Amino acid sequence: MRSLKAAFPQTIPVMTGYVFLGLTYGILMVTRGFPFYLPVLTAAIIYTGSMEFLLADILLTSFHPASVFVTALMVGARHLFYGISMLDKYRDMGWKKFYLIYTTSDETFAVNYSADIPEGVDRSWFYFWVSLLDQSYWIIGCLLGGLFGQLLTFNTEGLDFVMTAMFVAIFMNQWMKESDESGSFWKGHVSAFVGILASVITLIIFGPDNFIIPAMIVIFAVLTLLRGKLDPAYNQKGEEK
């Protein structure tokens, strides 16, 4: 319960985003002619927002397994980098590890990776509750959208912008956290600047539809090269070896 109380406030921005976006997805599926329970089922089993939105069109066209597989792989490829980043944090989690891996969405990764876990709170249970709460928000949003989608008459275009706003809020929270932990402005925000510059450069080169994976590759490579300067604990481990 202590872990749950510590985890819940961290997930409030995700709740705001997931409920509205899940509502949009549920409405989309129902208005395409699917039963109300299908968005709920996909929310529980597939649980990858980008692919679920694509699924609405995939299920209405001729089924090509190879094409669907490649599409799903490309859409979810960024999670490879999430997994690499969480190797140390999810180590020795026991049975929870499998669920944590399964539910590592963009937003859950952002919260669990940057969260400042209070002293006395079990780390594994904190990560578990963040993951479970986030998935619950998504399922609830999809359920509401599926149930009430056909009753809504207003234009829902633009609701997905709430996810952009949520990521900005998470970024600013991490920025302020780094400012508090480091006395140097530039050193304290190296990772943020690397992420911004890599994203802008790859956006210009690859375009808005294809820049995410190249940007993550660049960010991962640069931060790996700079790890010795950014992480004193890493240097200490190397000296001990």
Side-chain angles (χ1 to χ4, degrees):
M1 293 305 299
R2 184 182 302 173
S3 301
L4 176 59
K5 291 178 180 178
F8 175 69
Q10 302 285 339
T11 66
I12 291 176
V14 181
M15 176 178 63
T16 305
Y18 271 17
V19 169
F20 277 100
L21 195 58
L23 183 70
T24 305
Y25 172 63
I27 294 171
L28 175 66
M29 292 291 283
V30 171
T31 55
R32 294 288 181 88
F34 296 105
F36 80 92
Y37 60 82
L38 188 59
V40 179
L41 186 63
T42 57
I45 297 176
I46 299 176
Y47 188 47
T48 171
S50 302
M51 191 61 202
E52 285 173 71
F53 275 94
L54 292 175
L55 186 66
D57 292 323
I58 290 174
L59 293 177
L60 291 174
T61 58
S62 299
F63 182 55
H64 300 285
S67 176
V68 174
F69 174 77
V70 172
T71 301
L73 184 63
M74 293 302 297
V75 170
R78 65 191 185 278
H79 290 83
L80 292 170
F81 300 95
Y82 298 167
I84 293 172
S85 301
M86 299 301 288
L87 282 174
D88 290 335
K89 293 182 180 292
Y90 285 175
R91 194 184 304 276
D92 300 325
M93 291 290 162
W95 62 269
K96 301 184 193 71
K97 183 175 183 179
F98 298 99
Y99 182 71
L100 294 176
I101 294 171
Y102 175 68
T103 54
T104 302
S105 63
D106 299 344
E107 297 74 23
T108 299
F109 164 77
V111 173
N112 279 344
Y113 186 81
S114 61
D116 186 11
I117 302 176
E119 185 177 354
V121 171
D122 184 87
R123 188 167 57 94
S124 66
W125 279 108
F126 178 89
Y127 292 149
F128 174 83
W129 284 121
V130 168
S131 302
L132 181 61
L133 287 169
D134 287 352
Q135 187 181 23
S136 300
Y137 302 148
W138 179 248
I139 293 174
I140 291 170
C142 293
L143 175 62
L144 293 175
L147 289 175
F148 303 111
Q150 294 179 323
L151 302 178
L152 300 178
T153 57
F154 63 86
N155 187 359
T156 59
E157 183 179 357
L159 277 178
D160 56 343
F161 183 75
V162 72
M163 300 302 293
T164 302
M166 184 196 65
F167 272 114
V168 171
I170 292 174
F171 174 82
M172 293 306 301
N173 180 68
Q174 180 66 15
W175 179 279
M176 291 186 290
K177 178 183 175 182
E178 291 175 344
S179 299
D180 293 337
E181 293 177 350
S182 175
S184 171
F185 175 81
W186 294 104
K187 186 176 180 180
H189 300 300
V190 169
S191 59
F193 287 125
V194 169
I196 293 171
L197 290 175
S199 299
V200 171
I201 293 172
T202 53
L203 176 62
I204 294 172
I205 296 174
F206 297 98
D209 295 328
N210 303 302
F211 82 99
I212 294 180
I213 294 177
M216 289 187 172
I217 292 174
V218 173
I219 293 169
F220 177 73
V222 173
L223 292 181
T224 299
L225 292 174
L226 296 177
R227 185 175 181 183
K229 296 182 179 180
L230 298 176
D231 189 358
Y234 178 76
N235 290 330
Q236 184 177 356
K237 290 179 182 179
E239 292 174 358
E240 290 175 354
K241 289 182 179 180

